[in-house]
Amino acid sequence: MGFRVGVDIGGTFTDFCVFDESTGALSTLKVLSRPDKPGAEIMTGLTKIAEAYDIEPSSVSYFTHGTTVGVNTVIQRKGVNLCLFTTENFEDVLEVARLRMPDPYDLFSARPEPLVTRDKVFGIKERILSDGSIDTPLELESVRTALTRVKEVGGDAIVVALMHAYRNPEHERYVAEIIRKEAPEIKVILASDIWPVVREYERTITAVVAGYVQPQVAYYLSSLQTVLKEAGANVEPMITKSNGGVMTAERGKTDCAQMLLSGTASGVMGASSIAIQTKVPMAMSLDIGGTSADVAIINSGEPQFGTGELIGEFPIYIPSVSVSSIGEGGGSIAWIDEQGVLKVGPESAGSTPGPACYGKGGVNPTITDALVVLGYLGKSELGYSAVQIDSGLAHQAISKLSGNLSLTAEEVAEAIVRIAVSGMYLEISKLLSRQGLDPRDMSLIAFGGAGPMLAGWVASEFNMKNIIVPTVPGVLSAFGGLIADIKNDFIRTVYLDLSTASVDQIKQGFGTLAREAMSWIREDQGFEGEVLMVPSADMRYRGQSYEIDTRLEASWIESGSIDLMAKAFHELHEKIYEHSDAEAEVQLINLRMVISGKPPKPNFPSLEKPKKNLKACEHIQVYADRSLTEAGVFLRSDLGPGHEIDGPAVVLQQDCTTCILQGYNATVDEFGNLFIQRKDNL
């Protein structure tokens, strides 16, 4: 028995969650992130854990880590000097994309410059048809010519994405063989290895993003492995994946496409565990850190998944937890534009120098500073004493804006919070509208360093049912990685009619995926426990352009029950589009298989009801709705099942602060979660 450690690196803080396998105790910690020296925060955190909880690194038996290094590489455009090999005459695949404007309401909007510019895209003379047959054999000389041009532009890596390689990767593999033989110093990435799926742009852009970040990701993960060994933790780190699972860091060095949304996905998985624990049928997770607010929908404890999630300005088509990111975080800077209008974000103060109130050199007013001026923050240290709040510096920063706006510092601070919330409202409304959801039927699960602080304002705008604040909200993303399954997705494009004539091919296709999945989890990941395999298929009516991922049962596949498969598709089509056609022909485009293995997880029993009545440890003045009002201050460690708090109030704990607004009431459930509701809804 040992200790299981989950880590999540954010823009301001790096969060640690430690689970004692022998006692079931959960310990948490925050340290400041080190964007100037990635990995240093891991060493700092492990050292502080050893000091605070008497946990030696050598006793760490399991280590999971969520990272944003891939996303940041794309956003900052600091990836490898990448080149692209395509089938001759298809060199414009990245520019053409899907011929969609980024903003259809802005006639001047333009697609971002590709990660591989046109002068670094080279055509290869060859052609494989959609059925996998070879129309034009691969011309060796065209490969050598392209390789020469790669050297001329100083290319360090090449993505090979040839037509219909998802059906037949023979030509892509031959090209890779030539490159490795004649230019072994150049890294080569095959699109058919990254995600072998139909549609050339989708397959190509996914491989390009993966190839662009691969050296940075591999370097970071190697550094992580070194840091753990130097600290005395002799364990292979597990990396959280975009699909909410985990994989080994060693695998992540080459399969980095699977971990591009690593950090955001683990937060949603942590929120999903809270939704299951509290038995809420429909929930929205709100993860607000220092730089952004991440929102996801959770239905019956299951997060929603999708493809086409954005990495910076570019989509990838690996299955991912669906998360909408909004540029509003605790460190978002407030500013006045040329027209004299107050704006908030998207620029963030981050961890260096951070908000003005941190006293680390920041001078720009942020959302965090606004909350200090309003009175909600400043009564305790933040981030396990990593930060001490200086309210004087917060007032100075906010006052820089108040003079130009002819408002008091408190009025400006309240305006900053409301403007930030209005930005969240706009983006969240888009998400809800696309999915036809009513926020009044949903619970808001708030976490992250700033989530419980701002959740009241967000929930009020949507008139949401209630707010749930977990027991360790500030480190829930680290906890999500800690409880995540070992998980991977497999896909095979088949283009089959759903008919009796295709039954054998369907069985064979799923059989191949099952063997690949078992090989991955047993041999690659070394997992020996029980596994779960979930088959599905991308299905559509003949003539449709896009498919629906339809869950199938293994027994249907084994028995060849095409009627049950068709019924599942018709029902799902009806649910999504409110119409279906049971007489129409159905096609299977892709077969999918998800495999997962469940490592040991924490089991949280119900807490005993406290014997003492709850009392505020002090009373403070907070500014709300343009006036001062008295608010009680409570310690989270004093709260127990059955306790109630009337707002306005502030709940303090080491990993974050929770704001209970006027007109709200909070209760504590049997597991210690805080339920916050409007008094008129009780």
Side-chain angles (χ1 to χ4, degrees), residues 138-450:
L138 179 70
E139 185 184 89
L140 182 60
E141 192 58 35
S142 70
V143 179
R144 288 179 170 150
T145 299
L147 191 53
T148 299
R149 295 180 65 187
V150 168
K151 294 177 181 178
E152 290 173 353
V153 300
D156 298 313
I158 301 169
V159 167
V160 183
L162 304 179
M163 287 288 289
H164 302 302
Y166 63 90
R167 279 287 205 182
N168 181 356
E170 179 181 333
H171 283 180
E172 282 194 0
R173 290 175 181 171
Y174 190 21
V175 170
E177 184 180 324
I178 296 168
I179 296 171
R180 289 168 181 148
K181 182 178 180 181
E182 301 190 8
E185 74 280 5
I186 297 177
K187 176 73 177 178
V188 59
I189 300 99
L190 304 185
S192 56
D193 288 342
I194 299 298
W195 194 241
V197 68
V198 66
R199 296 193 177 93
E200 295 308 311
Y201 171 69
E202 285 79 354
R203 189 162 49 88
T204 302
I205 188 62
T206 301
V208 164
V209 173
Y212 186 75
V213 306
Q214 193 273 333
Q216 292 272 36
V217 169
Y219 173 78
Y220 177 82
L221 294 180
S222 295
S223 300
L224 173 64
Q225 291 172 321
T226 301
V227 164
L228 288 176
K229 287 182 181 179
E230 290 177 350
N234 297 314
V235 60
E236 169 66 6
M238 305 295 287
I239 304 301
T240 57
K241 301 174 61 178
S242 304
N243 67 0
V246 293
M247 64 180 172
T248 62
E250 193 63 33
R251 181 67 176 185
K253 294 178 184 179
T254 55
D255 202 4
C256 55
Q258 298 281 351
M259 52 172 284
L260 287 167
L261 292 171
S262 167
T264 53
S266 57
V268 179
M269 299 311 295
S272 297
S273 71
I274 300 300
I276 293 171
Q277 186 183 70
T278 55
K279 299 178 181 178
V280 294
M282 183 66 71
M284 177 193 299
S285 65
L286 179 67
D287 177 7
I288 307 180
T291 57
S292 67
D294 298 321
V295 180
I297 304 300
I298 301 170
N299 188 349
S300 300
E302 288 290 331
Q304 293 193 343
F305 293 86
T307 58
E309 299 294 317
L310 290 178
I311 304 298
E313 299 172 292
F314 305 97
I316 62 164
Y317 292 86
I318 300 290
S320 308
V321 173
S322 292
V323 180
S324 295
S325 292
I326 307 164
E328 310 281 358
S332 294
I333 295 172
W335 53 285
I336 299 174
D337 69 8
E338 295 176 353
Q339 287 72 41
V341 177
L342 182 63
K343 300 288 184 69
V344 179
E347 186 179 353
S348 172
S351 60
T352 306
C357 63
Y358 284 8
K360 296 182 178 294
V363 295
N364 293 315
T366 66
I367 295 174
T368 300
D369 294 308
L371 289 166
V372 172
V373 171
L374 292 176
Y376 291 101
L377 284 181
K379 300 306 174 184
S380 68
E381 298 170 335
L382 291 182
Y384 295 82
S385 303
V387 171
Q388 294 182 347
I389 297 296
D390 188 324
S391 60
L393 292 176
H395 277 82
Q396 287 181 26
I398 299 295
S399 294
K400 292 179 182 179
L401 300 177
S402 61
N404 293 326
L405 296 171
S406 299
L407 298 171
T408 66
E410 288 78 12
E411 288 172 334
V412 173
E414 189 167 41
I416 289 172
V417 171
R418 294 196 179 281
I419 289 169
V421 171
S422 70
M424 297 180 200
Y425 179 87
L426 176 62
E427 296 303 321
I428 293 172
S429 295
K430 293 178 183 178
L431 173 66
L432 295 173
S433 297
R434 285 196 301 267
Q435 302 189 28
L437 298 173
D438 187 341
R440 293 172 296 182
D441 299 329
M442 307 175 74
S443 297
L444 185 67
I445 301 177
F447 60 102

